[in-house]
Amino acid sequence: MMSRDELNKPIPESPPLSSSPPPPPPPLKSPTGLVGGQKKLENGNSTTSDDDDDEGLRGLEEVDLGVERAEALSEKGKWRRVFSWQPPYARWDERNPPKFTVWINLLFGFAGCFTVSNLYYNQAILNRIAESFSVSFERASVVATLMQAGYASGLLLICPLGDVFPRRPFILCLVLLTALLWIVLCLTENFIVFIVVSYVCGATTVTPQLMLPLVGDLAPKERRASCLAIVVSGLGLGVLVARILGGVMANYTEWRGIYWFGLGVQFVVWTGLYCWMPDYPSKNPTALKGVTGYGKLLWGIVVLMVTEPLLCQASIVAFCLSAVFTSYWTTLAFLLSSPPYEYSSMVIGLFGLIGVVVILLAPVYSRMVIDKVQPLLSALGGLGLELAGVVVGTFTGKFTVAGPVIQAITIDLGSQFTQIGNRAAIYSLRPDAQNRVNTAYMVAAFSGQLTGTAVGNRLFAQGGWTWSGSCSIGLLVFAILVCLARGPKETGWIGWSGGWMIRRDDLLEKRTSSDKEAVVEKDLQTA
């Protein structure tokens, strides 16, 4: 312990603190004799930048770039979330998937009507387009040609991707892209830009051909034909609506009015699909993996044509039907504008309204007839009806207008029966490749349209109405023989193994199982 004297001893005062900072440490010298971060330049001059300061600045720059990148990703993610948003009733749930309702079916029909219209708005106003851009009529016709060529390109190159991507965002992207490109068509004054954008819009206007396989996949088997008929009717109405509205609006307003109308209705379609279109997962998400994934996807269309007899049979029939259809409507104008009729172009155009009733009634007779019988029977019935009408129109059309009218009705009705039956059949093939199945079918149909136009015009120029109609008769007879060469239960290329039954097997099985359940329930009640 300390003594009292030691405790009483005064504590020495500490030296006062200096107000000036301590001197900096001497700078370190590099082996070259330069101080700190000095660097010797090649010309003998030195720089006095400090390495530590450079590293600090680089660190701050990296932080700033990181913040900017994070903000950009956040903004990108925000738009992605907005675009991929789905209402609760449209979200995919494997245990309880969204139901395919009548409202969704009608929405697809409406969307198909006003997207396919994009291809036909220009056909009634090509003369006005020629005047506006100061080009010849022949050059203005390139607009319609390139729009159709773009559609063919989209069928071949874009539609197969529907087997890979989820169809809701894929369809929404295509509709929105088409609408944005359509603004250029409404505003541009350059003819080259106009025809190039027309081609691209034709390529992206393939959304109806993505919806049809989706309907074939999701609709109940017992209602597949009638559900498909609603969308097919929408496509048919789209062609008529576009031609009629294009001519009427161009007659009373500037020709771009119909293009502005098309722009507005496309955004209406996009909004409807965005709010109500259900989400369904991709059935083949790994198809594009690998270097040649896309090439294999396209090659798969050819493989399907040579490995699926039913698809090949339906595609040949579609080729013949489309050729007959376009041959009739192409040569009809020549017939009715010549003696003894000499009708005006307006009266000839009104012939297009003949098929409206047939189109509107398609879901009705599809539900009552096509849904209940084998698809092959629907195809044969439609071909037989169309053949009878073409025979009447071909050999009476020169002296009575009733012949072409009967021919128009039977062509529309027979085509509807056959096409809907064929689609209902082929969409039961390859669930993982339905868009490629549809692409193969539509490429065959589109090739038939081109063939019918070229051959029909050539034959009419050489031998008149009878020659072009006789070619149509030959095509329909050939299509009937193709149908008869392969029975509804045949798994090979030719034959009738499995026999013939008019009613569909799955409906009979369903009816039998329901009858058995009713008998069991009755026995339980009796016991």
Side-chain angles (χ1 to χ4, degrees):
M1 294 184 61
M2 298 179 65
S3 62
R4 181 176 297 177
D5 294 336
E6 291 174 340
L7 292 173
N8 293 332
K9 188 176 180 179
I11 300 174
E13 295 181 0
S14 59
L17 297 174
S18 174
S19 60
S20 60
L28 297 176
K29 290 189 177 181
S30 64
T32 58
L34 297 178
V35 177
Q38 278 184 320
K39 297 180 182 178
K40 186 81 172 178
L41 300 180
E42 292 181 359
N43 60 3
N45 296 328
S46 63
T47 177
T48 58
S49 62
D50 194 356
D51 289 340
D52 294 336
D53 292 341
D54 291 343
E55 292 178 2
L57 289 173
R58 283 196 299 269
L60 290 174
E61 289 175 357
E62 290 177 359
V63 170
D64 292 340
L65 289 174
V67 171
E68 292 177 2
R69 189 179 297 112
E71 291 177 352
L73 291 174
S74 176
E75 190 71 20
K76 184 178 179 181
K78 183 191 301 182
W79 284 108
R80 182 179 297 174
R81 286 193 299 271
V82 170
F83 194 77
S84 61
W85 174 84
Q86 302 160 6
Y89 49 82
R91 294 170 188 165
W92 173 256
D93 184 356
E94 188 174 356
R95 294 170 296 180
N96 185 24
K99 294 182 180 179
F100 186 76
T101 61
V102 175
W103 161 243
I104 299 299
N105 202 172
L106 292 174
L107 175 64
F108 283 1
F110 175 82
C113 174
F114 286 104
T115 50
V116 80
S117 295
N118 295 341
L119 305 174
Y120 300 99
Y121 288 132
N122 54 56
Q123 292 187 355
I125 57 173
L126 288 175
N127 58 327
R128 301 286 299 276
I129 293 176
E131 295 172 2
S132 176
F133 287 106
S134 299
V135 297
S136 65
F137 289 163
E138 183 179 1
R139 195 172 183 207
S141 65
V142 174
V143 176
T145 303
L146 285 180
M147 187 75 84
Q148 295 289 337
Y151 185 68
S153 302
L155 284 174
L156 187 60
L157 302 177
I158 297 177
C159 280
L161 296 174
D163 289 330
V164 182
F165 302 136
R167 280 166 281 192
R168 174 186 163 94
F170 189 40
I171 290 173
L172 288 174
C173 284
L174 286 176
V175 174
L176 183 60
L177 177 61
T178 306
L180 294 177
L181 289 171
W182 203 261
I183 298 175
V184 179
L185 298 180
C186 295
L187 297 174
T188 185
E189 299 292 337
N190 188 301
F191 185 69
I192 300 299
V193 173
F194 189 85
I195 60 176
V196 170
V197 176
S198 294
Y199 174 83
V200 178
C201 285
T204 55
T205 306
V206 291
T207 47
Q209 300 304 328
L210 294 171
M211 294 176 187
L212 281 167
L214 184 59
V215 173
D217 186 23
L218 302 174
K221 289 184 179 180
E222 65 274 11
R223 292 193 296 110
R224 179 177 291 165
S226 54
C227 292
L228 286 170
I230 291 176
V231 183
V232 172
S233 297
L235 300 184
L237 282 176
V239 177
L240 294 178
V241 166
R243 288 171 176 167
I244 294 173
L245 281 181
V248 172
M249 292 186 69
N251 191 42
Y252 294 101
T253 64
E254 204 263 339
W255 68 267
R256 290 186 195 264
I258 187 61
Y259 274 83
W260 285 110
F261 171 83
L263 176 66
V265 80
Q266 284 179 82
F267 279 108
V268 171
V269 168
W270 187 87
T271 304
L273 294 175
Y274 182 75
C275 293
W276 287 289
M277 182 180 180
D279 183 39
Y280 300 99
S282 169
K283 290 193 171 184
N284 200 1
T286 61
L288 289 182
K289 286 190 175 180
V291 179
T292 60
Y294 183 65
K296 287 183 177 179
L297 192 71
L298 298 181
W299 178 249
I301 300 171
V302 180
V303 173
L304 285 170
M305 287 293 291
V306 298
T307 57
E308 295 290 346
L310 177 59
L311 176 60
C312 184
Q313 181 186 36
S315 298
I316 293 174
V317 173
F319 176 91
C320 296
L321 282 174
S322 299
V324 171
F325 183 87
T326 55
S327 175
Y328 169 77
W329 287 106
T330 302
T331 57
L332 179 67
F334 300 144
L335 173 71
L336 297 181
S337 61
S338 305
Y341 304 112
E342 297 183 345
Y343 291 157
S344 66
S345 58
M346 181 176 180
V347 174
I348 296 173
L350 291 177
F351 266 70
L353 298 177
I354 294 174
V356 171
V357 176
V358 175
I359 292 172
L360 293 177
L361 290 178
V364 178
Y365 56 71
S366 296
R367 185 76 179 99
M368 297 176 63
V369 180
I370 303 178
D371 267 332
K372 300 182 183 302
V373 299
Q374 294 283 356
L376 183 60
L377 181 64
S378 298
L380 285 171
L383 289 170
L385 179 64
E386 188 167 345
L387 177 61
V390 172
V391 169
V392 172
T394 298
F395 297 106
T396 64
K398 285 188 174 182
F399 53 86
T400 174
V401 75
V405 171
I406 293 173
Q407 186 170 347
I409 295 173
T410 54
I411 282 178
D412 286 337
L413 189 59
S415 295
Q416 290 277 359
F417 262 89
T418 306
Q419 298 275 23
I420 293 171
N422 278 343
R423 287 182 181 276
I426 64 174
Y427 290 152
S428 62
L429 300 172
R430 294 291 301 275
D432 62 328
Q434 286 193 344
N435 283 278
R436 279 169 286 174
V437 168
N438 186 69
T439 296
Y441 183 80
M442 286 305 302
V443 167
F446 193 82
S447 300
Q449 291 181 20
L450 297 178
T451 303
T453 301
V455 174
N457 287 335
R458 182 67 176 170
L459 290 175
F460 189 92
Q462 292 183 348
W465 176 255
T466 305
W467 278 39
S468 61
S470 298
C471 178
S472 296
I473 293 172
L475 288 170
L476 291 173
V477 171
F478 176 69
I480 292 174
L481 293 177
V482 170
C483 288
L484 293 175
R486 187 175 178 278
K489 296 183 180 180
E490 176 63 48
T491 57
W493 288 91
I494 297 177
W496 278 75
S497 63
W500 170 265
M501 183 174 290
I502 294 178
R503 292 186 64 85
R504 287 169 45 188
D505 294 342
D506 53 346
L507 295 181
L508 292 176
E509 292 173 0
K510 184 176 181 180
R511 184 176 179 181
T512 303
S513 61
S514 62
D515 290 342
K516 289 180 179 179
E517 291 175 1
V519 171
V520 171
E521 185 178 355
K522 185 177 181 180
D523 291 341
L524 290 175
Q525 290 176 355
T526 305

